[in-house]
Every structure is written in structure tokens, then in C-alpha cells.
Amino acid sequence: MTEHVSPPAAACPRCREAVDDHRFCENCGLDLWLRRGGAARPPSGPCPGCGANGTRTVNGFGVDEAGEDYCGTCGLRRSDGTEHVEADLGPVAGVSDRGLYHVRNEDAMAVGVLAGPGAQPLVAAVVCDGVSSVDAPELASRAGADAALERLLHPGGATMRKAVEEAADMVAALADGSHGTFRNPPSCTLVAALVDPGTDDGAENAENGPAITVGWVGDSRVYWLAAPDAAEPARLLTVDHSWAVEMIAAGVLDAETAMADRRAHAITRWLGAGGEPEPEVMTLRPAGPGLLLLCTDGLWNYLPRAEDLAEVALPVLARGGPAAVARALTALALDAGGRDNITVVAVPVVPRTRGGSE
Amino acid sequence: MTDVAATGGFTVEVDQNSYLPVDATRVDAIVTVTATDGAAGPAPASEVLEVIVIDCSTSMTGSKIRAARQATVAAISELRDGVSFAVVAGNHVARQVFPQHGTAVAGDGSRSSAIRLVERLQADGGTGIGNWLMHVGGLARAHPGSIKHAILLTDGQNGESAQYFTNALDSVLGAFTCDCRGVGTDWRVDELRTIATAMLGTVDIVADPADLAADFRSIMGEAMGKSVADLALRLWTPRGATVRFVKQVAPTVEDLTGRRTEAARQSGDYPLGSWGAESRDYHLAIEVPAGGVGDEMLAGRISVVRPGSGDLPEQVLGQGLVTAIWTEDSGLSTRISRGVAHYTGQAELAEAIQEGLAARKAGDEPTATARLGRAVALATASGNDGTARLLEKVVDVVDAPSGTVRLRKVVADVDEMTLDTRSTRTVRVRGDG
């Protein structure tokens, strides 16, 4: 008999071995503090088109270079589950949807929460938008989102630049031949946010509050959404790497002329072959509560102003949390036309007040 | 719009607009099949059979038989060491010139023996092309798995009954490929075109016997470069789909639709003949069951297949996919692939020429003027300069873009036959290699 009684030990979700407060399972090495979401689950079972059980062709090819698979009876593309993906980890939630016009969802998201026992969670979110004019853009966005998230929540710590650099390397590596030959190798945009809960010393100043780091390449965006009278007002935090924005910034063209050009929305930086993967990084220690929103142009093309997004999102947040916000904004983009893939990730940010908060 | 797959030595490129409007069911695609470096080397000589068939009927007397002898000598000189070969003289029957029976293996000795015998060829008798083909078929059957090729030269019309000839041709389908040449202007274009099409070969006119040797040399050079025999284009289509047509559209137009043999489940094979360091284009039109908005369907899987022989299993040498995607976005579904548009025009060009010439022969001048005018417009628009030049010898072009033409009162037989023979020659899309 020992002098004190341990609480019943928790079990590792992967190997069922008893675990303690350590970050990694001593038995199988699973990261016990990390939860991730955003990946698609391919549906299983018979073909929804004709009811045939999935067949792979017998000629040794079966799937094409992009790994796409079609029903061997009726030819229907077998869904990979990316048409509509939802992720809800509590402190962060997202929705990624194919939209109404695109055949595939070429967007991807990766969200993660790192929380030790009794500690405030570290939250990371990454959203990528595959470039439609290249081959297999969905491979780029998936690889980019996963690689960046992996680094942002890495046990060894991370910087935003390092995370984007590794994402760019992973996307560029898709063209190494292991995915077939590409005329135009896969590429994508990337936007990532890391929300650090900050130190918990009870002092009420922004210096100790949550710190937000945002990094981006291309025209996927991060918004800060807050009430009209908030201490930290609603605004767009990123600056698109797009032709029009750069022309305006350089003083070459006025806004009207630049936006009217057919090249207006062409992106000027991207991850992947031939791209300029140099991220821009900004940090923010918000003076008051708000909602961090990451999204692709499938949403912001319909609702580009931060104030308008806040007006829709904040009441929903109060009622249903970040998952409800992601669903509501996705529905809004679909109702407005759904011409592009839509990805929305919401992370509520609440500076702690004296007495602590959840 | 384009999807490339490179695997077992062949690339299969698909040029199409995958997007269809709601309820649309027809899918068109241009498929470019190219042998890659690895697969394009000449086959081992021991796996090649060459047969040269020379028309030695009475009409060949004089300069034609002299030119044919020279041309055959030139072709024999092109034979690679180790290749099996035979020379056949054709009149109302087929007679072996060299060797006496069966085939010989090319080498210095056999080549000079063959040449000596060819130089003694005389013209006498009738024309029995069906017999010649059956004779070559017999030689070919002794060489399973080899690349089997024949050159057939004639200067006149076939003397056999239509039924006899058709049966003979049917009996040798797929047994060898055959390049046909008509020398002079007394032969029938449609007769030789029928043979060349059935035997997956070419047809051409050699109006001046003096050009025969150079032509034979180039045919033989081409034949010696072939690397694989008896390839097939295998087309898988989804359940409920119908193949409207499968046409070769470059370098020439050849309709393969009727040549289908059923293969594995939901698949059919179309014969491609032998293949060297070359690239050919095919136009596929498939009717599929309509899908819902946002659905993507595999409308066709194209495989280049090498049949199994002996204990070698069948091999898939390359593959490409034709897809259909239903969308409400008319901006996507109204685009037409350049390749599909271009080759639809090239196929129509060949048809317009053949119909126009047939109408002209029948004395139907309005139809002839309209069809040949359409041909001029198509040839001009697509940059098919070779065909445009041939047309100008048959019609006076008033305005090429609109296809306004006048029939020429006097047209030389050779010009008309050249236009007819070469009407199926296409050009590739401008700006492409």
C-alpha cells in the first residue's frame, strides 16, 4: 500500500495502454495532447451511382496519375469525401465545401489543438486553396495544410516562417514523379494562424493575453471579427498577394483600374512549382475578445468586408460556437452562388480577465 | 483539358472539354498515342516479315514494269539483315519470285539472288489482287508474333468478281499490314483505298513510274523502323454507354468503328497495326448516360494493348482517361476543345472531297461545286496547305475562306486521282508539334 491513491489512469486512444500526464504515450509514442481535424474521410461501401461494389481495374492501372478512382461499372468518380468536410475541436472549428460549380474540392484545411493537462490550449489552423489551372491542385492544398499544421504544433516548437517553408517544400515535392507526371505541377495558396493562450499570471494586460500569429501566401485571408464598438475592431489582417493589390500598393494603378483588369485576381505568390512561397507574417495581441476567421476566396468573394462578416458571424458564435459560424458562413456562400470551393475556419479568441475564463 | 499518362512505352494524351451541360450525353475527345523513346526502337530483325507484291499483268508492259523492277530492287536493298522476306509477282494468280517457296532471311546472298530474279520480271496476264492478298496471308501465317508488312503495287483495275475479292480481303484481315501504290492513272482509287484501310496501311499514287524507286525505298525504310506488331486500342466505356465512333484522324482519316472486337468486360479492341517511332491521333465519340450536376464520370478508359503471344501475357503499354463532368456553368460547358474542333473539320474535309469528286464523275455539277467549295474553305481554315494545293488543280478558287469555287472544265486524271487518294491526309492543330 502506498500512502496516496493515484486517480485511475487514462488509456492511450491508440494502443489502450495506461497513460499519465506525459505528452507522449510511453508504449506507442502517440501525442496525447494533440488533437487534429480537417481531413476528409472517404466513404466506403457500394457505388452510389449504380450499387456495384468498388472495383479496381485488373490491368494494373486502375487509377490515373492523380490517384483518382472511378467505378468500374458505371464510371462514376468514387467520392473521396472532400465534397463536404467538417471539423470541430471545440476551440477551433471549420467547414470545407466543394461549392455548386466545381467538380472537386481543391481547398483543404487542417486544424489542431495542443493542450496539456490543466493548461490553456494552443490552437493552430491552416487553410489552403489549390490553384485550379494546374494539375492535381487538391494534392497541393492537402499536403500544404498538413505540413504547416504539423510544424505549428510540433513538440520542438515552431515559427510561422518555418511552417510555411515546410509546407512549400511538401507541395514542391509532389512533382518528384511519385504522383505521376504533371505538365503543370500542383500549387496552392496558404493561410495559417497560431493562437497562443499566453502566460497565466492573472495580470490583466494584453502583453500576457493571447498572441495571434498569422502567415500567408496568396489570396486566402484571415479576418479579425469583433463587435462594432469593440476594443479590438473588426478588420482584414492579411493583404492578398494578387496582381491588383500589388499594382495598387505600388502606386502603378488606381483601385478601380486595377480591379477592372482581367488579371486582378491572379495570385502573385503561391506554394508549389515556380511559385514565390515567401510568406508575409503578422502578429496581433488583441485588446479585447473577437473571432479569428480563416477563409478562401470562395467565401470572401461574396462578403469581403470584415464588418459584414462580423455581423453574420458574431450572433451565430454566441448561440452555437465556432462550428456554427463555419457552417453559417459556408451556407451563406452557397446561397450567394457557390461558384468556388468554400473553406471557413473559426477560432474564438478571448483575452482572460481576472478570475480566469474558459 | 489535357491529361497525359506515360507508362509502358506509350504516352496517351487526351484533349477534350470534360464539362457537359445538364442532360448532355455526348463526349468527344482527341487521343494522341505516341511511342516513347523506350518503345520506338526497331524490332529485332528476326521478328519482321516483308513481302513485296508486284503487278506483272500485261498492262504493266514497258516503262512501268521497268520502273517496278527498279523499285523492287531498291526496296530489297533497304531490307535489314535477318529480316524474313519474299517477292511475289502478281497477275491473275500470285507467283513466288523469290524464294521459290515461303520466305528467305535477308543477307548479302539472299538479297542478290532476289535482285537477279526480280530483274527478269516480265508483264503478262490479268489482275487478281484477291489472289495476291491470300498468297501473302499464307506467308504471314508462318510468322506468328512478327511485324508483318507488304507493299502492293498495281497499275490497273482488279479483274476478279467483287464477291471473290471481298471474301479474299476478309480472309486476310489482321494477318499483315499493307501499303498500296497505284502507278499511272488506270487503277481505281476506291479499290486500293479499300485494301489499305482494311489492312491498316497507306495508299498513294505514283503517277510517274520514274518516282517509284524512291517511293518504295521510303516505304521500306518506314517499315524497317516499326517496333511493335498488332497493337490494339482498347476502349472501356461505362455501363449503358454507346461508342458512336472511333476514328484515326492523323496522319490520315480512317474510321475504325466497325473494326471493334469485344474484349474484357465493357471493353472493345480496335486494331492499330504495327507501330514505330510515331504518333497518331484518334477521335472518340461516346454517348454516356446523363449524370447529375457536379457528377464526374469516367466516359472512357483508353489503353494501348499489345496482345499476348506464346507464353507472354497481354501487356498494357499506355493509358488515358476520357471524363465527363456535368455543370450548370455554361462558361465551362460551351468551350470546345481545339483538337476536337480541328479534327471534326479534317474528317469533314476528306468527306467533302470524296463526295465532290464522285458528284463530278456522275455529272452532278452543282453538288460537285458545293462539296469541293466546302473542302477549299475547310482546307484553308485549318492550314491544310497540301490538300488546298491539290484542290486548286481541280477547281478555280474564287474566294477560299467562303469556299466559292468554279469547277475546272478540263482536269487531268492524275490531278483528280491524287486529290482523291490524298483526301484523307490531315494536318495537326496549328501551333502543336
Side-chain angles (χ1 to χ4, degrees):
Chain A
M1 278 297 279
T2 50
E3 284 176 306
H4 57 269
V5 180
S6 315
C12 169
R14 185 159 69 189
C15 69
R16 301 276 156 240
E17 198 69 19
V19 294
D20 51 18
D21 283 350
H22 287 103
R23 179 167 176 177
F24 298 98
C25 170
E26 296 293 323
N27 185 51
C28 74
L30 183 72
D31 188 333
L32 301 164
W33 296 1
L34 179 64
R35 289 185 300 134
R36 275 189 296 205
R41 276 195 202 82
S44 53
C47 170
C50 67
N53 284 316
T55 52
R56 291 181 98 70
T57 50
V58 293
N59 58 16
F61 288 84
V63 293
D64 70 1
E65 62 195 330
E68 293 155 346
D69 202 358
Y70 299 88
C71 171
T73 301
C74 74
L76 192 71
R77 174 188 286 280
R78 294 178 70 76
S79 152
D80 59 0
T82 57
E83 293 82 357
H84 185 87
V85 186
E86 297 200 4
D88 185 358
L89 300 181
V92 53
V95 172
S96 185
D97 190 281
R98 185 175 74 176
L100 301 177
Y101 282 88
H102 281 268
V103 175
R104 253 164 290 174
N105 186 357
E106 296 163 354
D107 286 0
M109 63 177 174
V111 296
V113 173
L114 183 67
Q120 287 285 334
L122 179 69
V123 178
V126 188
V127 166
C128 290
D129 181 349
V131 176
S132 289
S133 54
V134 302
D135 298 327
E138 69 282 1
L139 295 182
S141 54
R142 186 73 261 155
D146 285 344
L149 188 87
E150 182 79 22
R151 173 51 61 184
L152 287 173
L153 297 179
H154 197 274
T159 64
M160 181 59 74
R161 285 189 187 281
K162 182 82 180 144
V164 177
E165 187 185 317
E166 287 186 6
D169 289 347
M170 286 303 283
V171 174
L174 292 170
D176 67 4
S178 56
H179 295 270
T181 48
F182 297 115
R183 282 198 170 175
N184 302 297
S187 54
C188 65
T189 72
L190 179 142
V191 65
L194 186 67
V195 182
D196 189 320
T199 54
D200 194 358
D201 59 0
E204 250 194 273
N205 63 46
E207 289 306 304
N208 303 333
I212 299 167
T213 312
V214 171
W216 73 98
V217 174
D219 68 353
S220 299
R221 292 180 171 182
V222 178
Y223 289 89
W224 173 258
L225 305 182
D229 54 351
E232 193 66 53
R235 64 190 186 277
L236 172 61
L237 299 181
T238 52
V239 180
D240 300 345
H241 297 135
S242 70
W243 186 86
V245 170
E246 299 205 351
M247 285 292 146
I248 298 161
V252 176
L253 295 173
D254 61 77
E256 199 178 343
T257 315
M259 293 311 290
D261 193 284
R262 62 181 175 76
R263 289 166 294 185
H265 293 284
I267 56 173
T268 50
R269 296 189 199 180
W270 59 86
L271 309 188
E276 168 60 71
E278 183 60 31
E280 262 187 274
V281 176
M282 62 87 65
T283 54
L284 171 69
R285 285 186 179 274
L291 177 71
L292 203 59
L293 189 83
L294 292 77
C295 63
T296 58
D297 59 350
L299 170 64
W300 68 250
N301 269 331
Y302 293 113
L303 214 58
R305 282 164 36 92
E307 297 81 354
D308 298 338
L309 286 164
E311 199 178 321
V312 176
L314 296 176
V316 178
L317 180 67
R319 287 198 305 272
V325 170
R327 281 191 209 110
L329 289 174
T330 302
L332 184 146
L334 289 169
D335 289 344
R339 289 201 69 90
D340 202 346
N341 305 143
I342 304 146
T343 303
V344 185
V345 174
V347 189
V349 180
V350 185
R352 286 185 305 286
T353 52
R354 202 183 298 279
S357 71
E358 281 305 298
Chain B
M1 299 269 276
T2 305
D3 177 39
V4 187
T7 44
F10 279 77
T11 57
V12 179
E13 290 177 73
V14 178
D15 174 2
Q16 65 160 153
N17 177 14
S18 298
Y19 292 97
L20 299 178
V22 179
D23 297 334
T25 55
R26 174 164 162 160
V27 183
D28 280 273
I30 301 297
V31 175
T32 300
V33 178
T34 309
T36 55
D37 300 345
S46 60
E47 292 172 18
V48 179
L49 167 68
E50 281 294 336
V51 183
I52 304 165
V53 185
I54 303 300
D55 184 340
C56 293
S57 61
T58 308
S59 58
M60 287 287 288
T61 306
S63 66
K64 282 195 246 171
I65 194 73
R66 280 199 300 276
R69 290 194 294 247
Q70 283 163 5
T72 306
V73 168
I76 291 169
S77 310
E78 290 289 319
L79 290 168
R80 283 159 51 206
D81 283 359
V83 164
S84 299
F85 78 105
V87 182
V88 175
N91 46 25
H92 47 286
V93 291
R95 183 177 61 81
Q96 286 259 151
V97 178
F98 180 86
Q100 277 191 306
H101 306 286
T103 57
V105 175
D108 288 343
S110 60
R111 274 192 295 258
S112 11
S113 307
I115 288 168
R116 267 199 311 279
L117 291 163
V118 165
E119 281 167 342
R120 296 183 212 156
L121 281 178
Q122 296 298 325
D124 180 27
T127 308
I129 301 179
N131 264 321
W132 310 350
L133 292 170
M134 284 194 290
H135 181 84
V136 179
L139 296 174
R141 269 187 285 279
H143 293 263
S146 286
I147 295 174
K148 299 176 283 281
H149 173 255
I151 301 177
L152 188 151
L153 177 76
T154 183
D155 76 322
Q157 301 176 27
N158 192 26
E160 297 162 332
S161 79
Q163 190 57 54
Y164 182 86
F165 172 73
T166 304
N167 291 346
L169 185 58
D170 283 348
S171 75
V172 296
L173 275 188
F176 55 96
T177 58
C178 185
D179 288 321
C180 303
R181 292 295 179 267
V183 61
T185 55
D186 295 328
W187 54 280
R188 297 249 322 258
V189 175
D190 56 351
E191 267 179 7
L192 284 201
R193 184 185 289 138
T194 301
I195 300 168
T197 295
M199 303 309 287
L200 305 169
T202 60
V203 58
D204 203 3
I205 181 170
V206 184
D208 183 348
D211 298 332
L212 213 46
D215 188 59
F216 267 36
R217 199 175 293 121
S218 97
I219 296 177
M220 195 53 91
E222 185 90 9
M224 288 293 108
K226 295 292 183 191
S227 35
V228 272
D230 301 331
L231 289 181
L233 187 79
R234 177 164 300 166
L235 175 59
W236 173 97
T237 47
R239 196 170 63 187
T242 318
V243 179
R244 279 195 165 203
F245 61 75
V246 174
K247 280 181 199 164
Q248 178 186 294
V249 287
T252 57
V253 180
E254 294 290 352
D255 195 338
L256 300 175
T257 315
R259 307 291 297 274
R260 177 184 173 112
T261 50
E262 292 307 312
R265 193 176 72 118
Q266 297 174 211
S267 303
D269 284 355
Y270 300 84
L272 302 179
S274 53
W275 206 287
E278 61 186 301
S279 175
R280 302 179 204 163
D281 293 349
Y282 299 87
H283 183 171
L284 275 54
I286 305 165
E287 204 73 56
V288 296
V293 172
D295 279 355
E296 178 174 351
M297 180 192 286
L298 186 62
R301 179 186 273 110
I302 300 124
S303 312
V304 176
V305 181
R306 183 184 200 166
S309 64
D311 43 8
L312 274 177
E314 175 183 277
Q315 283 176 292
V316 177
L317 305 176
Q319 190 169 81
L321 304 180
V322 176
T323 54
I325 299 162
W326 284 268
T327 178
E328 284 177 325
D329 187 342
S330 58
L332 291 173
S333 60
T334 52
R335 289 188 304 196
I336 295 178
S337 122
R338 275 176 70 206
V340 170
H342 172 81
Y343 283 127
T344 302
Q346 294 292 290
E348 192 196 337
L349 171 60
E351 258 170 39
I353 291 170
Q354 290 171 27
E355 286 168 9
L357 291 177
R360 193 177 163 280
K361 274 201 189 77
D364 178 356
E365 289 200 4
T367 302
T369 309
R371 299 309 283 139
L372 293 171
R374 174 72 183 145
V376 167
L378 287 165
T380 307
S382 63
N384 194 331
D385 302 339
T387 300
R389 272 195 301 276
L390 296 174
L391 278 159
E392 282 165 13
K393 296 189 167 173
V394 178
V395 294
D396 286 316
V397 178
V398 180
D399 178 53
S402 67
T404 311
V405 302
R406 274 191 302 268
L407 293 184
R408 290 190 169 212
K409 288 285 171 280
V410 182
V411 175
D413 283 350
V414 58
D415 290 332
E416 188 175 349
M417 287 175 73
T418 304
L419 175 60
D420 194 353
T421 309
R422 298 183 184 170
S423 61
T424 57
R425 290 190 184 182
T426 58
V427 290
R428 285 190 143 157
V429 182
R430 275 187 234 193
D432 288 8

